[in-house]
Amino acid sequence: MNLFQTILILFGAFLGVFAEGVLTFPRSVLGAQVDVLPVLMVYAALNARLLAVVLLAIFGGIWADTFSANPFGISILPLFTVGFSIFTQRELVLRDLPFAQVVLGAIAGAAVPAFTLLMLFSSGHKPVFGWGTLWQFAVMSLGSALLAPFIFKLLDWAQSAFGYQSRVENSFRLDREIRRGRILKK
Amino acid sequence: MFKQKNYLALGAVILVALVLLSLPTRVTSRLKLAVGSWFLPLFGLAGATQQIPADLASSVLPRRELLKQIDNLRTENQQLKSQAVQTAAVMRENDKLHALLGWQQTAKWQLKLANVVMRDPANWWFTVQIDLGARDGIRENLPVITENGLIGRVSSVRQTSSQVVLIGDPNCRVSATVENGARDNGIIIASDPLDNSRVNLTYLASGANLKPGQNVLTSGLGGIFPKGIPIGQIVDARSVEFGLYTEARVKLNANLGSLEQVWVLFP
């Protein structure tokens, strides 16, 4: 857990937001675009410091709103709510299991847009909403679920390839060394 | 479970979000502009990457194929030139008749070609970003069209790019006329989130004589969209609110799902 991991997550969010806007797939086929930010938030909440969760919520939310008709900053709270909830319970989650990653990805993929829509409606905005929104939620949730193990593997690999591991404290101390005498060599 | 740093983080994020949400629109649009500029290298990279296959295709295309294409384009150009001459004659005649009757002259449209560079990352808005901005003379509420018909209007302008809100988004309401005997007027409103090829035309007169295939055009009411821009065709109609008014589904002429190049119209 170091600064490189936080930078890596933020860089992933930066690229992810750009890709969501530029790529027509899967929107052209399934009618909805999959959001990468909830999955990254799950990763950050399970594997990184609280600072990473905070920064991802703020910067990810701001980046997503920049190219959207969303009011500026409205995506911050939904992302943070999901990230913070997972972060506080992360000791109970088996984070290395793909099943846990898939389930959390699916929940986050549906919860973040649901909270965002709730905030939009409560602030008086009128987004496109109808029965089709349920399908879009299903696509976003499923997409996030499928993306989660892949993003976990990718970020873990990038972290091990480019980052540095924090030094593990060794239990060996010179003053506590047991010097074995001749008596044992008998 | 809840440590002090957790409370601090929670407070900090809530504070940042509330501050950003309470900023005036003018400030947030400037912030969006500033943050959007961070992505300029990525836009450049994406543009260059898209250019590579096109360059590659043009370099490997046989000369015979290119000559054939030039011939086709030459023929099409001649046809369009003769049509332009004919249209100019009709326009002159129209101007004369306008002058004779003392009607106000209709202003000629000026168009600027723009590339669609991005779509809205959120699924609940129908907006796109185009590569023309304030430096190209773009301003808010200018209509945006394709060769097939109306697609929306400019909703916000930055220095080098603009946001276009598409038909079907609740923020893009268009006053429209049905090309029938009664010239029924209605308003194009939001469509289904999944199907952006169809929109609803509502507030039509209760006895409106609507038939599938009838053309729907902009009415010119409202002051944003000039009169006569094609929008789409009637698919079906139904009476709503216990017969108070009629609502029709309209199939859009323009394909909003695959927009690449659009025209910004300066009325």
Side-chain angles (χ1 to χ4, degrees), chain A residues 129-153:
Chain A
F129 189 76
W131 287 110
T133 310
L134 287 177
W135 168 255
Q136 288 183 331
F137 272 40
V139 171
M140 283 188 274
S141 179
L142 190 69
S144 294
L146 294 175
L147 266 180
F150 171 73
I151 283 186
F152 269 67
K153 279 223 165 24

Side-chain angles (χ1 to χ4, degrees), chain A residues 6-133:
Chain A
T6 310
I7 294 168
L8 195 69
I9 291 167
L10 289 177
F11 186 65
F14 186 73
L15 290 182
V17 168
F18 180 76
E20 278 170 40
V22 171
L23 298 177
T24 51
F25 184 82
R27 197 199 304 256
S28 53
V29 182
L30 299 172
Q33 187 60 277
V34 176
D35 194 357
V36 187
L37 291 177
V39 186
L40 283 169
M41 185 51 90
V42 172
Y43 179 84
L46 288 180
N47 295 297
R49 294 181 294 176
L50 184 60
L51 179 72
V53 176
V54 171
L55 290 178
L56 179 63
I58 293 174
F59 283 101
I62 285 174
W63 289 333
D65 294 339
T66 297
F67 295 111
S68 171
N70 279 341
F72 194 61
I74 206 154
S75 304
I76 295 175
L77 281 179
L79 270 172
F80 185 71
T81 308
V82 169
F84 191 68
S85 311
I86 298 171
F87 182 83
T88 52
Q89 304 294 323
R90 72 176 180 175
E91 304 307 330
L92 307 173
V93 180
L94 299 168
R95 65 188 84 169
D96 293 330
L97 284 184
F99 179 73
Q101 296 163 6
V102 166
V103 170
L104 284 175
I107 293 169
V112 171
F115 286 153
T116 312
L117 273 177
L118 199 68
M119 285 189 69
L120 281 169
F121 279 118
S122 30
S123 57
H125 292 87
K126 286 178 184 166
V128 183
F129 189 76
W131 287 110
T133 310

Side-chain angles (χ1 to χ4, degrees), chain B residues 21-92:
Chain B
L21 287 171
S22 58
L23 289 173
T25 319
R26 197 163 47 87
V27 179
T28 53
S29 59
R30 284 193 174 190
L31 279 173
K32 278 191 176 187
L33 172 70
V35 177
S37 64
W38 301 1
F39 289 82
L40 284 178
L42 288 182
F43 278 115
L45 199 69
T49 318
Q50 280 172 354
Q51 195 58 38
I52 291 169
D55 288 348
L56 204 68
S58 60
S59 62
V60 296
L61 211 62
R63 193 168 178 271
R64 196 174 50 188
E65 184 63 30
L66 288 171
L67 287 171
K68 195 178 161 188
Q69 280 185 12
I70 289 170
D71 268 355
N72 288 343
L73 288 170
R74 203 171 275 153
T75 315
E76 197 180 324
N77 193 24
Q78 281 168 357
Q79 283 173 353
L80 289 171
K81 267 184 183 168
S82 62
Q83 274 179 18
V85 170
Q86 203 178 354
T87 311
V90 173
M91 292 277 279
R92 276 198 299 275

